[in-house]
Amino acid sequence: MDLKPDREMTAMTNDGPVPVAPLMSMFDPIYIGIDEFGQPVYTSVIYRNLLAGGEPGGGKSGLLNAICGHAAMCLDTSLVLFDGKRVELGPWQPIADEFVVGGMDHAISVLERLQKVLDNRYEWLAHLIDFGSVRRKIVPTDNVRVILTVIDELALYSATYGTKLQQERFVVLLRDLVARGRAAAMPVVVATQRPSHDIIPTSLRDLFGYRAAFRCTTPNSSNIVLGNGWAEQGYNAQDISPENQGQAYLLTEGGTPQKVKVCYLSDDNINDLAKHAKWIRKPMSGGVA
Ligand SMILES: Nc1ncnc2c1ncn2[C@@H]1O[C@H](COP(=O)(O)OP(=O)(O)OP(=O)(O)O)[C@@H](O)[C@H]1O
Ligand SMILES: [Mg+2]
């Protein structure tokens, strides 16, 4: 069989060649779709948090699945998934470290465990100074796993399921994860239909540096996702046609929103990827899990 060396199996980005599976890493750019000119669009969630919003059926879960698909192929990454509807991220459940559905006790205990990991990672970074190394974030050579938390339909946890007290506890813990997770290689990706203040406190929403606005029904809703003032400058997700599902304005830190048509993974695609991910993640004799 004529097998090419892995290093020759590459995808090109502005930053040069990126190895394709099985050598993918969460530190690599993530392919999420094409722009208005048909050019590939890559993003990154390492050291970043991403908030996706927009009307029902706009394509938010499609984006989350594209990101999960990349993460699934990364042996340096663990997935922690919250899927209030159960079926959106369900195929990734076998490879996820945690898969939370509707139970608020479970949701809160998973966030508490993530908080503990955060504390441990910051303590470890702080102790590096004793060895003469001042470090403010985890880097690939640390060999520390990226823990990607993906929450589909945040509103179910912050405003629907459980008691008011549980919802508040969930939001407090999530705020800590979003605020501190970045440098600890624990990024968070969240989707919700309308991230207004009754669903996600403004203080938490503002911590998400990256935004993806799928079709919205009003300019105000678009501004709630992207940030104030963008609709007035022409970046208005109300302009996206209802038939154009998967189209979004993507705002990354410091830039202007960019139109992206998110790559859509069919159920079959997702099942194939999840199956492959399970295979490459199977415990090895060397102990890789
Ligand atoms: N990138 C895409 N390209 C083509 N079609 C898409 C794309 N994304 C989504 N769709 C279509 O739109 C439908 C709804 O998408 P999706 O479930 O991602 O929406 P959503 O924003 O998560 O909706 P909800 O708020 O109800 O969860 C999909 O079942 C699919 O048919
Ligand atoms: Mg959805």
Side-chain angles (χ1 to χ4, degrees):
M1 209 190 307
D2 181 24
L3 282 180
K4 286 185 175 179
D6 288 339
R7 66 178 181 282
E8 284 183 35
M9 299 163 64
T10 56
M12 291 304 294
T13 74
N14 291 340
D15 297 319
V18 174
V20 178
L23 295 177
M24 286 168 83
S25 159
M26 210 54 194
F27 289 86
D28 292 335
I30 304 171
Y31 175 70
I32 56 158
I34 52 171
D35 67 13
E36 294 171 89
F37 309 102
Q39 294 301 307
V41 176
Y42 294 85
T43 193
S44 172
V45 294
I46 190 78
Y47 309 135
R48 302 283 182 266
N49 299 295
L50 171 73
L51 173 66
E55 68 172 29
K60 301 177 294 296
S61 298
L63 173 63
L64 263 45
N65 271 304
I67 293 171
C68 283
H70 178 101
M73 297 300 136
C74 302
L75 286 183
D76 61 4
T77 303
S78 299
L79 285 99
V80 176
L81 307 177
F82 292 73
D83 180 5
K85 292 188 196 158
R86 193 177 207 131
V87 293
E88 301 289 0
L89 306 175
W92 309 113
Q93 182 168 4
I95 57 147
D97 280 23
E98 278 290 352
F99 190 85
V100 180
V101 186
M104 284 304 280
D105 286 339
H106 186 202
I108 288 168
S109 85
V110 167
L111 285 183
E112 284 172 345
R113 281 168 57 204
L114 287 171
Q115 189 178 46
K116 189 72 204 156
V117 177
L118 261 180
D119 291 342
N120 293 343
R121 289 188 174 194
Y122 271 92
E123 193 148 325
W124 179 75
L125 278 174
H127 273 86
L128 288 180
I129 201 163
D130 297 341
F131 301 96
S133 159
V134 179
R135 287 269 306 286
R136 284 171 296 176
K137 65 181 182 190
I138 284 171
V139 296
T141 46
D142 287 329
N143 241 347
V144 172
R145 291 182 76 73
V146 176
I147 302 176
L148 174 70
T149 301
V150 179
I151 305 177
D152 198 0
E153 209 33 77
L154 173 68
L156 294 176
Y157 301 98
S158 65
T160 310
Y161 293 152
T163 63
K164 189 109 193 91
L165 271 180
Q166 285 176 314
Q167 293 164 6
E168 282 169 10
R169 177 79 182 134
F170 181 90
V171 168
V172 166
L173 289 164
L174 179 61
R175 183 186 289 121
D176 187 31
L177 180 60
V178 175
R180 292 195 296 146
R182 226 177 48 83
M186 295 171 66
V188 181
V189 176
V190 167
T192 196
Q193 289 169 351
R194 194 173 188 275
S196 47
H197 64 87
D198 48 328
I199 303 299
I200 172 169
T202 319
S203 59
L204 170 56
R205 189 175 71 212
D206 289 349
L207 297 178
F208 285 86
Y210 283 13
R211 311 290 181 92
F214 291 83
R215 185 184 145 76
C216 292
T217 42
T218 64
N220 185 36
S221 295
S222 178
N223 274 342
I224 286 174
V225 184
L226 289 176
N228 259 340
W230 283 116
E232 292 71 22
Q233 293 179 58
Y235 304 99
N236 179 0
Q238 188 192 24
D239 298 342
I240 296 171
S241 153
E243 281 83 49
N244 197 357
Q245 290 161 308
Q247 176 85 35
Y249 278 108
L250 177 71
L251 178 65
T252 52
E253 266 160 344
T256 49
Q258 174 188 22
K259 264 190 176 170
V260 178
K261 177 81 173 182
V262 173
C263 54
Y264 185 66
L265 295 172
S266 67
D267 287 350
D268 284 347
N269 294 151
I270 292 176
N271 286 328
D272 286 348
L273 279 171
K275 212 164 114 192
H276 182 64
K278 195 172 169 201
W279 188 84
I280 60 173
R281 285 163 177 260
K282 71 182 187 298
M284 310 278 187
S285 51
V288 180

